[in-house]
Amino acid sequence: FKPKPIRTILLVGLNNSGKTTLLCNLVSKMLDYARDMENVEQISTCPTPGLSLVEFQQGRIKWRVWDMSGQGRFRNLWAYYSGHVQGIAFCVDVTDSDRIATARDELQSLLDQPRVRDMKIPIVIFANKADLGNADDLDEADNDKNKSKSLSMENVRMALGVDSINQNQKVKVMSSSGLTGTGVSEGFQWLNDAIR
Ligand code: GTP
Ligand code: MG
């Protein structure tokens, strides 16, 4: 008999980056609910007040995800919770280039947390809202507008300073959309593999 592995994850990132949407997408897939886009579009969120704990089973794995508020006044909770998790998911809105420097500061201060640094807690960075700017279904004018605001994967890596993170720290940047689900389960799969 082998006990079910539990994966305890901290889900952080600036407010409005799409953490709760991404998590809802993952969980609803598990419930076999969001098979078609009609249902996916029904996912609607509101700003997370403080934090919320979401637990779900995926095959043999039990996920325990702390979905944190990204609002400024709640961000000091991230450091505290980072001392109690096995992995971190850091969500960035690729259309929010105005606040990418703030996202970098928050990521770097997480990386400076003693337990994150010493235990080399793996971090997946979701370069989220990838559906904006690349969507084919937007008309050309809209598409151009979004594209000019959207950060490329390379821009995200540079702006967050990913390549200067300690080589021993497991870090992965994953292009994602919490609305369509692109990259979401892949990101969590990577975390799962990085933890074991
Ligand atoms: P806080 O709880 O306040 O920290 O925010 P959050 O990071 O949990 O953001 P939330 O999931 O509530 O999403 C914020 C807004 O972004 C909502 O209007 C979502 O519909 C939208 N959104 C989230 N993910 C995506 C995405 O991948 N693509 C697009 N186009 N919109 C998204
Ligand atoms: Mg939220």
Side-chain angles (χ1 to χ4, degrees):
F1 172 79
K2 269 198 186 154
K4 288 201 173 86
I6 298 181
R7 296 291 187 238
T8 308
I9 306 297
L10 182 69
L11 175 57
V12 290
L14 302 187
N15 49 310
N16 200 51
S17 57
K19 301 176 291 296
T20 303
T21 306
L22 188 140
L23 190 57
C24 284
N25 186 287
L26 188 68
V27 174
S28 59
K29 279 225 173 82
M30 238 107 278
L31 300 174
D32 218 6
Y33 162 73
R35 273 272 162 86
D36 55 334
M37 277 303 289
E38 249 172 77
N39 285 336
V40 172
E41 277 166 8
Q42 286 169 19
I43 294 176
S44 76
T45 57
C46 52
T48 306
L51 58 93
S52 135
L53 175 62
V54 177
E55 291 185 305
F56 57 98
Q57 186 87 28
Q58 183 188 39
R60 282 188 43 75
I61 304 163
K62 182 172 181 183
W63 292 95
R64 181 172 289 162
V65 182
W66 292 99
D67 176 12
M68 308 300 288
S69 165
Q71 290 173 65
R73 66 181 181 281
F74 292 121
R75 283 181 211 151
N76 57 350
L77 293 172
W78 301 0
Y80 174 76
Y81 278 80
S82 72
H84 302 272
V85 296
Q86 300 163 296
I88 296 175
F90 191 94
C91 194
V92 181
D93 177 349
V94 295
T95 68
D96 190 7
S97 48
D98 291 349
R99 292 197 302 163
I100 192 77
T102 309
R104 180 202 173 102
D105 292 347
E106 296 293 355
L107 175 64
Q108 296 297 334
S109 60
L110 262 183
L111 286 161
D112 285 340
Q113 288 301 312
R115 188 166 171 281
V116 175
R117 195 182 51 218
D118 299 343
M119 306 278 292
K120 299 180 181 60
I121 302 295
I123 302 185
V124 62
I125 298 169
F126 287 107
N128 197 41
K129 307 199 185 179
D131 56 293
L132 295 176
N134 297 311
D136 299 324
D137 54 345
L138 292 171
D139 72 46
E140 224 164 69
D142 272 1
N143 208 2
D144 282 352
K145 205 166 62 200
N146 285 322
K147 250 193 192 133
S148 62
K149 277 185 66 195
S150 268
L151 296 163
S152 68
M153 285 284 275
E154 195 44 44
N155 285 338
V156 171
R157 292 190 76 90
M158 278 199 323
L160 295 180
V162 171
D163 296 323
S164 48
I165 294 171
N166 186 334
Q167 298 283 309
N168 295 325
Q169 192 92 41
K170 288 186 186 167
V171 180
K172 169 92 178 164
V173 184
M174 182 73 72
S175 177
S176 70
S177 167
L179 277 193
T180 66
T182 305
V184 176
S185 49
E186 291 86 340
F188 276 83
Q189 187 58 53
W190 179 88
L191 261 187
N192 181 47
D193 295 342
I195 288 166
R196 71 179 82 193

